[in-house]
Each structure stands twice: as C-alpha cells, then as structure tokens.
Amino acid sequence: MTRFVLTCMLLLCCSCVPTPSTAPAAARGASKAPWAPSDPSLPHDFLAPIVDHHQHLLSPALATLWNEKLTAASLPPDVAELVVALEGSWNNEGMLAELYEEDSVLMAPPSWEYLTHGRAAIAARLAHLFRASYKLAPASVHTDGAAGYLVLYLERPRGGVELPFAEALLMIQRDGDHKWRVATEALRVPGPEVYSAFEAKDLLTLLDQAGIRRAVVLSAAYAWSDKGHAPWPDEYARVRAENDWSAQQVAQFPARLVAFCGISPIRDYALEEVRRCASELHARGVKMHFSNSGVELANPEHLRAVQAVFAEANRLKLALVVHLQTEKVAYGAADAQIFLNEVLPKAPDIVVQIAHMAGSGPGWNDEAFEVYADAVGKGDPRTARLYFDVATCAEEQSYSRLVRLAQRIRQVGINRILYGSDASFGNRATPRQEWATFQGYVPLSQAELAAIASNVAPYLSN
Ligand SMILES: [Zn+2]
C-alpha cells in the first residue's frame, strides 16, 4: 500500500513534465527525406513510427535449430495400431467410438471451457472437428504395463512438407482385449510453431505495410549459446556465422536497416566478437538477452563479464540494446539497482536501450522500470543516454495496466521512448498490428503518440 501511494505521488510529481536538464538530446527526425509507404492501403495521413527499434530476422540455421523440438518417436507395434486407426477414422463416428474408453474425456477447441465426456459424444465431436484428413506423427510415447501416454502432431502438407497444425496429448490404456484405447485427450490448435527463414526483404515487406521507414535489426546470435540447449562444441563459429548472416542481410538495404550483433556477455569470446562486430561487420551496436543467456547481475562473475562488454562497447562507440529481465521469479528492483550502479557507469558515452521497458514482453517490469524512472527524474547523470523500447509492452495488458504504462512513459519522458515492435516472423503479430495495439490501447494523447512515432535513437543519426 505504501509503495502504491509513493508511486502515485511520484507520478503526480513527474508526469507530463519533461525535465530539460535530464532529458537526452532530442532523439527525433534523423531523416527528413520524404517517405511514401508502398502499401496503398495506408491512408496518406497514417501515423506511423519512423523507426522500428526492435526487430529480428531468422536465419535458415536458426530456423532449423528452433524446429528441432519437433521430435519424432517410434511407436511400439501395438500402440502404432491405435495411431493408424485414429488417423484412418478421423471423420467416422462409429470407428472413432471404438478407439475411446466408455468414460473417456476430451478437451478440444473451440470450447475449452467444457469437457466432452464419454466415447459416443467424443466420437461425434471429433468426427466433425476437421474438414480434411491429416497424418498423425508421434512426437513422444511412453507405456508402462497397461497405461501410457502419447504426444501426436496432426500434420498436413505445406510447401511440399508435412507440418503440424495441431497437437494432442493422449493418455492411453490397454484393455482386456489387449487393445490400446484413449482414456483422455487434450487437443491444441494451433500446434507447435514451425519456423522458416525470415530475410531482410521479408522484413521490408512488413515495414512497408506499416509505413515504417527504418528498422534496427538485432541479431539473435545469442541463441547459439541459449542456456536451454546443450553447448555446441563450435559455439563461437556459429555465433560468428549468425552475426555475419544478419549483417549481410541488413547490408542489402542500407537506407532502411541497421545491424546490431548479438552476443552472450558471459562467454569467453564475448569481447572478441564485440570488436569484430565493430571492425568487420560495421554494426551499429550489440544486443544482449540476459534471460536467454542465463545472465544474473547478482552473480559477481556475470557482473564482471557484463561490465567488460559495456566498457568495450563504450570504447568502440557501439550502442547497446539489453533485454534485462531474467527468468528469476524475483527479478525486479534489486537487479535494476545493480544495473544502474554497477553496469551503466561503464558506458557513459553510448546509448543504452533497455528492451521491453525492463521487462520481457508481453508487458513490462514495473518494479525494475520504477528504479530507472526515479533515477531519470532525479537527473541522475548515469541515465543521460538511457532509452527504453516499448516492444510488445502494450500486449495482453488490462486497462489499468495500460493506464500505468502511459503514466510510466510520461514519467520517464517521451524523448526516451523508442518505438519497437519485436513483430516479424512466425506466429508473431506484424509491425502494423503491433503499432495498432500500442496506438489503440495505450491511453496517450495523439500528440504524445506522434512524438513517440517520430523518435529516432541517436545511434541512427550518425
Ligand atoms: Zn526481441
């Protein structure tokens, strides 16, 4: 309660008050060149951000890596019999009923709120759920005596390849007649995301649809040191190849795109790659993703490594984009204090862009953000070149949270807010959709939205 009152007081003091002494140099209007969005569906007076400060491409190599989770399992012959039968009777009520237990339960779209009980009702529901046949590809299977489970992908051909459009978890049991039947089934549509390469030209198409002139392309090379994956013996070679690919893609459209490298700051090659990004790839900056890389600033070793990267980037005049939120449940103000006190001072001369307003998106992290907003409000010199991108911050938020988001944006100063969408490949929203979400949901005035749309990070203007 005390915290809430304090926060409100701060907001009353600071909202809408741009503090010229602490606001960074005007970050707008780097390019005044006339711009005609190539999408004819955009009205001529459509308000569009000049720059999308948070974008990604997807290399063929990373698409393959991310599709690896689509595992294939080989079935014991008696379970395979059940799967073949399920596949063959997809729209046949009578045949389907034979494959479920009398008291089976089904959870399936579009009515998640109620279960379907009993083999007859389940067969009737399933037989009319899909309009075309599909293949069932086993992803995982386990049996123990007369019970077991199965994970199945429901696949149809797309671009000449069978790809999942839905997935199902089945609990199965073997009856007195030695036949496996389904005891419970949970069906999910859509199924797992399937990735394909997303190149610079694809991004330009989406930017054009949104009337966005330029984008900052953040290499996802740190995905090759993802803490969730066993280390690659040739990890640094993969990181280099990824940063090279991203830089080459961006170089095809120098008037529209700008490249940032990606690294994990806690790898022993981090500084070498930062230097290579500056000298060989002519990157404008470096992106780090603390969650993906498993970086915790409370860990002294990690802190030292992060400080070294900040110092090196500062020496080389590379900007930094940092996804600070980690997977630690307690992530928040304490982490922000360490960042403010121990890390930011190592890079006094360069722009530091905190991604997703100190959160992970969707949404932002209000506790961590408050630390930065307070420092900015006090004219803390460490925040002189600190910016925040709003990528996916307005997504999936309640109205009261959106009101708070608008207050926070005003508190820190509109000049420090960089528009970013993080929207591009796969099942994500497009940049046009993401801007519609931000513009339509966050209760900012038209003038404030126009100001955010016209903000351009200083690292783009030199
Ligand atoms: Zn991102």
Side-chain angles (χ1 to χ4, degrees), residues 156-178:
R156 290 200 187 112
R158 215 193 312 160
V161 198
E162 296 284 343
L163 291 173
F165 66 93
E167 62 190 332
L169 169 64
L170 279 62
M171 307 309 293
I172 54 176
Q173 69 185 57
R174 189 161 50 186
D175 294 330
D177 61 0
H178 291 283

Side-chain angles (χ1 to χ4, degrees), residues 54 56 218 287 356 422 428:
H54 189 134
H56 301 283
L218 309 169
K287 155 90 185 279
H356 313 291
D422 203 2
R428 300 170 188 213

Side-chain angles (χ1 to χ4, degrees), residues 246-262:
S246 186
Q248 284 157 11
Q249 286 289 316
V250 166
Q252 296 170 31
F253 305 98
R256 306 276 313 267
L257 304 178
V258 152
F260 271 51
C261 280

Side-chain angles (χ1 to χ4, degrees), residues 100-107 113-125 183-184:
Y100 287 76
E101 297 291 344
E102 186 56 49
D103 56 355
S104 286
V105 175
L106 170 75
M107 184 194 280
E113 66 270 26
Y114 68 88
L115 301 172
T116 306
H117 292 271
R119 63 160 50 120
I122 290 172
R125 180 120 184 259
T184 57

Side-chain angles (χ1 to χ4, degrees), residues 332-393:
D335 302 271
Q337 287 293 357
I338 302 176
F339 186 74
L340 184 64
N341 296 330
E342 312 286 340
V343 179
L344 260 189
K346 302 291 176 196
D349 310 316
I350 55 171
V351 167
V352 175
Q353 172 180 331
I354 295 183
H356 313 291
M357 285 178 64
S360 272
W364 77 102
N365 189 289
D366 205 52
E367 272 202 22
F369 189 79
E370 186 177 23
V371 171
Y372 305 117
D374 284 353
V376 167
K378 288 179 190 143
D380 187 329
R382 294 172 298 188
T383 64
R385 289 176 181 79
L386 192 60
Y387 289 79
F388 304 88
D389 78 45
V390 291
T392 68
C393 291

